[in-house]
Amino acid sequence: QVHLEDSGGGLVQPGGSLRLSCAVSISDGLIVNKGWYRQAPGKQRELVATLASHSRTTYADSVKGRFTISEDSAKNMVYLQMNSLKPEDTAVYYCKARVVRYSGPYSDLDYWGQGTQVTVSS
């Protein structure tokens, strides 16, 4: 079983900051990749940032230098620090975990949080 709980969204003025949190609970399998995605109204879901083994990170060009993905492994938490927010960052943000299971039938699956709304507006 894998469960992800997103939180931390809200209304913020342009130039402001927010920190999103994702609580990850897992009973079996190995999390090989964690990430944040977002979906704005009328648009497809897009990658924002990912965090893989050895702290390798990737970011969408639109958020580089403004957003930072991090984790607290001891607490099974993943964070997205968002600074210098712009109106175009408005979207529902989702955290995702890619889980691989080697015991029993092999599986490689993505699990998603329920999403948290971020609105950047004056």
Side-chain angles (χ1 to χ4, degrees):
Q1 292 283 355
V2 180
H3 181 73
L4 286 74
E5 188 81 23
D6 307 326
S7 63
L11 174 63
V12 63
Q13 292 187 341
S17 298
L18 279 176
R19 188 177 82 155
L20 305 184
S21 299
C22 176
V24 182
S25 62
I26 179 170
S27 60
D28 66 318
L30 176 66
I31 299 176
V32 299
N33 182 284
K34 311 170 187 74
W36 288 95
Y37 291 71
R38 67 186 180 188
Q39 187 166 18
K43 295 186 177 182
Q44 289 190 333
R45 192 172 297 188
E46 63 176 2
L47 180 149
V48 176
T50 64
L51 177 63
S53 60
H54 306 293
S55 300
R56 291 175 298 165
T57 58
T58 60
Y59 294 94
D61 288 342
S62 59
V63 307
K64 282 181 182 176
R66 300 188 298 123
F67 291 11
T68 303
I69 187 170
S70 63
E71 66 177 339
D72 183 334
S73 298
K75 297 180 179 179
N76 286 332
M77 296 291 295
V78 183
Y79 305 102
L80 184 69
Q81 178 66 44
M82 305 186 295
N83 299 327
S84 303
L85 282 161
K86 305 175 181 179
E88 51 263 43
D89 294 318
T90 296
V92 178
Y93 284 70
Y94 301 88
C95 75
K96 188 196 84 170
R98 177 185 168 199
V99 177
V100 174
R101 297 179 176 87
Y102 297 99
S103 61
Y106 173 84
S107 66
D108 183 345
L109 300 172
D110 291 334
Y111 295 84
W112 296 87
Q114 82 286 359
T116 184
Q117 176 71 47
V118 172
T119 302
V120 184
S121 175
S122 55

